[in-house]
Amino acid sequence: MVEPTPSEHVYETDTPILYEAADGIAWITLNRPKYHNVQNSQMTYALDDAFKRAVDDDDVKCIVLKSDAKHFSAGHDIGSPGRDFHASVDRRLMWYDHANKAGGEKAYIREQEQYLGMCKRWRDIPKPTIAQVHGGCIAGGLMLAWVCDLIIASDDAFFQDPVLQMGFPGLEYFAHCHELNVRIAKEFLFLGERMGAARAYEMGMVNRVVPREELADEVRKVAHRIAEQPRLALQLAKQACNHMETLSGKNAGIDAAFGYHHFAHANNTLVKGDYIAGFDGKKMADANKKQAGE
């Protein structure tokens, strides 16, 4: 697979993220519907801008991340015209530019900034966050949902990390064993199958499951209830819970798994001649549909 040059990527929209705020709630909408909200750099930094805007607004007490497309998110962008892998970005974290680097360094630095680093940054947002999930929440889409404090899903939602077929141990923000029991996490990864919302609820990964037509109202109801609570108390409760996760080894485990992930990138390059083993968005989607019997 030949990577596009910076001049070859073409964005289909100037607004990959939509933002509105009212009544103490910020509504952040993923807005690449044509490509099922796959995440390129443009979307990642627009999402970071939206989260920052919500944090800076003292009237906002709760943040909702949602999608108005067919799916919540189909993961990272590995094949749309807007795939901007080579492009330099206005970086937010203490990593240097990836765009002019070669070999394994290029992907490692980019993913430290845009995937792992951003997810850790968003997990620590000092206001409660809710992921409103419908349709597919796949691979990199899991990261967006998992960094949120609550996940409320429609009954047609499904969750999936199918990247073992690409040679990876799992996605970059490897929170699987904290979102799921370890044995269930292994099943989730080894088989790469879709986990429906009902089972995700049974496993403790999802807070509530409601009919699709009731999803927006349910999220609004929960968000309004949260917005009635004292801001500092919400922040302290979130900080305490996140600290408990950190004490249990979550960050250390994720960092170790990130290293395994990039060993797999390097191995793919040596064995397959391509760091994602020759897959693109269409091939990955076709493989998932075949596995699901569609």
Side-chain angles (χ1 to χ4, degrees), residues 10 48 57 64 73 94 120 162 177 200 214 229 243 267 289:
V10 178
D48 191 63
D57 186 346
V64 175
S73 174
M94 285 295 180
K120 289 182 175 181
C177 297
E214 298 176 14
Q229 304 282 23
H243 184 58
N267 188 64
K289 290 176 181 178

PDB file of all heavy atoms in Angstrom, residues 10 48 57 64 73 94 120 162 177 200 214 229 243 267 289:
ATOM      1  N   VAL A  10      -7.782  14.803   0.359  1.00  0.00           N
ATOM      2  CA  VAL A  10      -8.830  15.776   0.058  1.00  0.00           C
ATOM      3  C   VAL A  10      -9.928  15.627   1.100  1.00  0.00           C
ATOM      4  O   VAL A  10     -10.553  14.568   1.210  1.00  0.00           O
ATOM      5  CB  VAL A  10      -9.413  15.564  -1.352  1.00  0.00           C
ATOM      6  CG1 VAL A  10     -10.535  16.567  -1.610  1.00  0.00           C
ATOM      7  CG2 VAL A  10      -8.326  15.678  -2.421  1.00  0.00           C
ATOM      8  N   ASP A  48     -10.701  17.710  19.600  1.00  0.00           N
ATOM      9  CA  ASP A  48      -9.981  18.287  20.726  1.00  0.00           C
ATOM     10  C   ASP A  48     -10.389  19.750  20.952  1.00  0.00           C
ATOM     11  O   ASP A  48     -10.579  20.187  22.087  1.00  0.00           O
ATOM     12  CB  ASP A  48      -8.471  18.189  20.485  1.00  0.00           C
ATOM     13  CG  ASP A  48      -7.659  18.534  21.715  1.00  0.00           C
ATOM     14  OD1 ASP A  48      -7.762  17.815  22.731  1.00  0.00           O
ATOM     15  OD2 ASP A  48      -6.932  19.544  21.675  1.00  0.00           O
ATOM     16  N   ASP A  57     -16.138  26.620  28.902  1.00  0.00           N
ATOM     17  CA  ASP A  57     -17.443  27.243  29.090  1.00  0.00           C
ATOM     18  C   ASP A  57     -17.983  26.890  30.479  1.00  0.00           C
ATOM     19  O   ASP A  57     -18.382  25.757  30.737  1.00  0.00           O
ATOM     20  CB  ASP A  57     -18.406  26.757  28.006  1.00  0.00           C
ATOM     21  CG  ASP A  57     -19.753  27.463  28.042  1.00  0.00           C
ATOM     22  OD1 ASP A  57     -20.056  28.129  29.050  1.00  0.00           O
ATOM     23  OD2 ASP A  57     -20.510  27.319  27.069  1.00  0.00           O
ATOM     24  N   VAL A  64     -21.686  15.658  25.851  1.00  0.00           N
ATOM     25  CA  VAL A  64     -22.174  14.471  25.144  1.00  0.00           C
ATOM     26  C   VAL A  64     -21.458  14.357  23.810  1.00  0.00           C
ATOM     27  O   VAL A  64     -21.393  15.329  23.039  1.00  0.00           O
ATOM     28  CB  VAL A  64     -23.698  14.547  24.912  1.00  0.00           C
ATOM     29  CG1 VAL A  64     -24.166  13.357  24.071  1.00  0.00           C
ATOM     30  CG2 VAL A  64     -24.446  14.577  26.239  1.00  0.00           C
ATOM     31  N   SER A  73     -18.893   5.356  15.071  1.00  0.00           N
ATOM     32  CA  SER A  73     -17.601   5.532  14.397  1.00  0.00           C
ATOM     33  C   SER A  73     -17.069   4.181  13.964  1.00  0.00           C
ATOM     34  O   SER A  73     -17.073   3.224  14.738  1.00  0.00           O
ATOM     35  CB  SER A  73     -16.577   6.210  15.305  1.00  0.00           C
ATOM     36  OG  SER A  73     -15.296   6.255  14.678  1.00  0.00           O
ATOM     37  N   MET A  94       3.432  17.054  23.832  1.00  0.00           N
ATOM     38  CA  MET A  94       4.880  17.237  23.727  1.00  0.00           C
ATOM     39  C   MET A  94       5.529  16.165  22.851  1.00  0.00           C
ATOM     40  O   MET A  94       6.426  15.426  23.287  1.00  0.00           O
ATOM     41  CB  MET A  94       5.509  17.259  25.118  1.00  0.00           C
ATOM     42  CG  MET A  94       5.265  18.541  25.869  1.00  0.00           C
ATOM     43  SD  MET A  94       6.080  19.928  25.047  1.00  0.00           S
ATOM     44  CE  MET A  94       5.606  21.269  26.153  1.00  0.00           C
ATOM     45  N   LYS A 120      -5.827   9.792  26.378  1.00  0.00           N
ATOM     46  CA  LYS A 120      -5.529  10.062  27.786  1.00  0.00           C
ATOM     47  C   LYS A 120      -5.947  11.472  28.168  1.00  0.00           C
ATOM     48  O   LYS A 120      -6.472  11.703  29.271  1.00  0.00           O
ATOM     49  CB  LYS A 120      -4.035   9.854  28.059  1.00  0.00           C
ATOM     50  CG  LYS A 120      -3.593   8.395  28.021  1.00  0.00           C
ATOM     51  CD  LYS A 120      -2.109   8.299  28.354  1.00  0.00           C
ATOM     52  CE  LYS A 120      -1.651   6.851  28.436  1.00  0.00           C
ATOM     53  NZ  LYS A 120      -0.220   6.752  28.794  1.00  0.00           N
ATOM     54  N   PRO A 162     -11.694  -5.604  15.537  1.00  0.00           N
ATOM     55  CA  PRO A 162     -11.305  -6.690  14.636  1.00  0.00           C
ATOM     56  C   PRO A 162      -9.873  -6.607  14.126  1.00  0.00           C
ATOM     57  O   PRO A 162      -9.537  -7.242  13.125  1.00  0.00           O
ATOM     58  CB  PRO A 162     -12.287  -6.497  13.477  1.00  0.00           C
ATOM     59  CG  PRO A 162     -12.434  -5.012  13.387  1.00  0.00           C
ATOM     60  CD  PRO A 162     -12.311  -4.491  14.803  1.00  0.00           C
ATOM     61  N   CYS A 177      -9.146  -4.679  28.941  1.00  0.00           N
ATOM     62  CA  CYS A 177      -9.199  -5.462  30.180  1.00  0.00           C
ATOM     63  C   CYS A 177      -9.708  -4.644  31.367  1.00  0.00           C
ATOM     64  O   CYS A 177      -9.854  -5.178  32.468  1.00  0.00           O
ATOM     65  CB  CYS A 177      -7.824  -6.045  30.496  1.00  0.00           C
ATOM     66  SG  CYS A 177      -7.254  -7.216  29.237  1.00  0.00           S
ATOM     67  N   ALA A 200     -22.880  -6.109  25.868  1.00  0.00           N
ATOM     68  CA  ALA A 200     -21.968  -5.100  26.396  1.00  0.00           C
ATOM     69  C   ALA A 200     -22.483  -4.543  27.726  1.00  0.00           C
ATOM     70  O   ALA A 200     -21.707  -4.269  28.644  1.00  0.00           O
ATOM     71  CB  ALA A 200     -21.793  -3.969  25.387  1.00  0.00           C
ATOM     72  N   GLU A 214     -35.449   6.048  21.327  1.00  0.00           N
ATOM     73  CA  GLU A 214     -35.440   6.683  22.647  1.00  0.00           C
ATOM     74  C   GLU A 214     -34.046   7.137  23.082  1.00  0.00           C
ATOM     75  O   GLU A 214     -33.894   7.729  24.153  1.00  0.00           O
ATOM     76  CB  GLU A 214     -35.999   5.717  23.697  1.00  0.00           C
ATOM     77  CG  GLU A 214     -37.445   5.300  23.457  1.00  0.00           C
ATOM     78  CD  GLU A 214     -37.933   4.266  24.462  1.00  0.00           C
ATOM     79  OE1 GLU A 214     -37.245   4.070  25.497  1.00  0.00           O
ATOM     80  OE2 GLU A 214     -38.979   3.639  24.209  1.00  0.00           O
ATOM     81  N   GLN A 229     -25.905  18.801  39.241  1.00  0.00           N
ATOM     82  CA  GLN A 229     -24.992  18.564  40.351  1.00  0.00           C
ATOM     83  C   GLN A 229     -23.936  19.680  40.430  1.00  0.00           C
ATOM     84  O   GLN A 229     -23.643  20.345  39.430  1.00  0.00           O
ATOM     85  CB  GLN A 229     -24.286  17.208  40.169  1.00  0.00           C
ATOM     86  CG  GLN A 229     -25.231  16.026  40.009  1.00  0.00           C
ATOM     87  CD  GLN A 229     -25.820  15.584  41.334  1.00  0.00           C
ATOM     88  OE1 GLN A 229     -25.895  16.345  42.297  1.00  0.00           O
ATOM     89  NE2 GLN A 229     -26.249  14.336  41.395  1.00  0.00           N
ATOM     90  N   HIS A 243      -8.529   7.988  39.317  1.00  0.00           N
ATOM     91  CA  HIS A 243      -7.329   7.665  40.095  1.00  0.00           C
ATOM     92  C   HIS A 243      -7.334   6.201  40.518  1.00  0.00           C
ATOM     93  O   HIS A 243      -6.292   5.533  40.499  1.00  0.00           O
ATOM     94  CB  HIS A 243      -7.250   8.568  41.323  1.00  0.00           C
ATOM     95  CG  HIS A 243      -6.001   8.381  42.134  1.00  0.00           C
ATOM     96  ND1 HIS A 243      -4.740   8.547  41.610  1.00  0.00           N
ATOM     97  CD2 HIS A 243      -5.826   8.026  43.439  1.00  0.00           C
ATOM     98  CE1 HIS A 243      -3.829   8.300  42.545  1.00  0.00           C
ATOM     99  NE2 HIS A 243      -4.466   7.989  43.663  1.00  0.00           N
ATOM    100  N   ASN A 267       6.636  -5.206  12.279  1.00  0.00           N
ATOM    101  CA  ASN A 267       6.634  -6.546  11.692  1.00  0.00           C
ATOM    102  C   ASN A 267       5.853  -6.573  10.388  1.00  0.00           C
ATOM    103  O   ASN A 267       6.274  -7.200   9.411  1.00  0.00           O
ATOM    104  CB  ASN A 267       6.033  -7.545  12.677  1.00  0.00           C
ATOM    105  CG  ASN A 267       6.168  -8.977  12.207  1.00  0.00           C
ATOM    106  OD1 ASN A 267       7.276  -9.496  12.074  1.00  0.00           O
ATOM    107  ND2 ASN A 267       5.042  -9.625  11.942  1.00  0.00           N
ATOM    108  N   LYS A 289     -17.946  -7.489   7.349  1.00  0.00           N
ATOM    109  CA  LYS A 289     -19.265  -7.904   6.887  1.00  0.00           C
ATOM    110  C   LYS A 289     -19.329  -9.395   6.611  1.00  0.00           C
ATOM    111  O   LYS A 289     -20.322 -10.063   6.925  1.00  0.00           O
ATOM    112  CB  LYS A 289     -19.637  -7.117   5.624  1.00  0.00           C
ATOM    113  CG  LYS A 289     -19.933  -5.652   5.869  1.00  0.00           C
ATOM    114  CD  LYS A 289     -20.206  -4.912   4.579  1.00  0.00           C
ATOM    115  CE  LYS A 289     -20.467  -3.439   4.831  1.00  0.00           C
ATOM    116  NZ  LYS A 289     -20.693  -2.689   3.566  1.00  0.00           N
TER     117      LYS A 289
END
